[in-house]
Amino acid sequence: MSEALNREYIVSEEIGRGKYGVVYRCHSVATGHCRAVKSINKKLIENDAVDSQCLRNEAKLMQFVGGHRNVVQIFDVYEDDEFLHIVVEYCGAQDLYQRITARQVFSESDALRKMVPLMEAISHCHSLGVAHRDIKPDNILFNNYNELKLADFGSAECFHTGEPMSGIVGTPYYVAPEVVAGRDYNEKVDVWSAGVILYIMLAGIPPFYGDSAEEIFEAVLRANLRFPRSVFGSVSSEAKDLLRRMLCKDVSRRFSADQVLRHPWMRTGG
């Protein structure tokens, strides 16, 4: 551990592990507040220029979009010869992936309580010219007050209005068709991913699926959105209308994050 980190924080138990590093719980020496520190082994990324740049961008972009109540806050960054340490807000409750796995299907009112803060976080990022590019339940955390926090900006990228982005990033079930197709794209890829999350919360199944990543990508490219009566029989027409507008293959017709927030279902819960 960095000497500077150890002066400012008391690092305790491991709470997570990823491809390049470990996440620990820690406490501020000055305030006693509980935080999390993501410690990245630089030796593991030195031969991968793309991942190395992503990890360094993550800290910068988190600082840039920080300040919104539904985005995980970053407090400190420390770097030494061996490690990059990023100290962030501690979110100790179950993430959305764990909640979906436990509950499988959400009522519309419960889904609404997740979608409003999620879309507010996405809208905030987009207003600052940042696309997250990996919106998925695993990256949607909750703190001990059950407040939603958008996390993991390792795939995020800055964009300028009217200028496209490129590069295949994201996770199979949640990635937008234009990304899979290898075309240039804009920030509305985040809206597509959020739409997939809403569909899964209401139906308990993903809208586009397959037995392998290749089959999933093929289904995403077809973008044949269906609402099986067996699972959508009790879902309101307003909710289905919003899903059609978020999971629209035609990007020009797909809603922006702000348009999603103004949709009637988001205002009333269906």
Side-chain angles (χ1 to χ4, degrees):
M1 289 290 176
S2 160
E3 289 184 12
L5 172 66
N6 286 330
R7 282 197 301 270
E8 302 292 333
Y9 293 92
I10 299 170
V11 180
S12 53
E13 75 273 20
E14 177 183 327
I15 56 175
R17 183 172 288 265
K19 183 179 179 183
Y20 295 119
V22 182
V23 181
Y24 301 93
R25 191 199 312 264
C26 64
H27 290 81
S28 167
V29 171
T31 67
H33 289 154
C34 184
R35 309 287 189 220
V37 57
K38 184 177 183 178
S39 296
I40 298 144
N41 188 332
K42 290 163 64 176
K43 290 183 180 179
L44 296 178
I45 62 172
E46 62 185 2
N47 294 323
D48 191 325
V50 174
D51 281 350
S52 178
Q53 189 61 44
C54 284
L55 290 168
R56 294 181 186 282
N57 283 347
E58 179 176 10
K60 293 177 182 177
L61 290 177
M62 286 184 72
Q63 288 172 322
F64 183 55
V65 301
H68 192 276
R69 64 186 178 277
N70 297 121
V71 175
V72 166
Q73 302 302 299
I74 184 170
F75 296 102
D76 291 295
V77 179
Y78 304 94
E79 187 170 5
D80 55 34
D81 291 339
E82 296 182 47
F83 287 91
L84 175 66
H85 305 284
I86 305 174
V87 180
V88 299
E89 182 177 2
Y90 175 69
C91 296
Q94 286 185 321
D95 62 34
L96 187 57
Y97 177 81
Q98 293 168 318
R99 295 181 183 208
I100 288 172
T101 302
R103 294 185 55 178
Q104 294 195 325
V105 176
F106 289 66
S107 68
E108 288 190 45
S109 58
D110 284 343
L112 177 72
R113 283 193 286 270
K114 309 295 185 294
M115 285 301 295
V116 170
L118 172 60
M119 294 311 304
E120 286 179 345
I122 293 172
S123 175
H124 167 73
C125 292
H126 290 181
S127 72
L128 294 175
V130 175
H132 186 282
R133 301 201 303 171
D134 195 18
I135 302 289
K136 60 182 178 180
D138 318 52
N139 291 336
I140 299 168
L141 311 182
F142 296 86
N143 65 15
N144 291 334
Y145 301 100
N146 205 36
E147 296 168 329
L148 182 147
K149 305 284 181 174
L150 180 59
D152 196 343
F153 284 76
S155 297
E157 183 173 327
C158 290
F159 66 88
H160 301 285
T161 303
E163 294 184 15
M165 291 172 280
S166 61
I168 296 179
V169 295
T171 303
Y173 281 120
Y174 307 95
V175 68
E178 60 268 27
V179 178
V180 178
R183 299 196 301 269
D184 289 345
Y185 51 85
N186 63 24
E187 71 277 9
K188 288 184 181 180
V189 295
D190 289 343
V191 174
W192 175 281
S193 301
V196 173
I197 291 173
L198 176 57
Y199 189 104
I200 290 173
M201 284 195 291
L202 295 177
I205 56 173
F208 316 109
Y209 54 90
D211 294 328
S212 66
E214 183 179 0
E215 288 184 6
I216 295 167
F217 287 145
E218 289 173 355
V220 169
L221 283 171
R222 289 193 297 271
N224 185 13
L225 184 63
R226 296 171 183 246
F227 300 110
R229 183 174 294 276
S230 58
V231 289
F232 275 93
S234 60
V235 174
S236 69
S237 58
E238 290 85 355
K240 287 182 279 192
D241 179 73
L242 177 58
L243 284 168
R244 289 187 190 96
R245 296 173 187 276
M246 296 178 75
L247 296 174
C248 179
K249 188 175 181 179
D250 182 347
V251 180
S252 68
R253 293 173 53 237
R254 187 184 308 160
F255 266 13
S256 67
D258 285 344
Q259 286 176 310
V260 172
L261 286 167
R262 293 195 299 268
H263 188 273
W265 185 83
M266 293 288 284
R267 292 174 178 270
T268 66

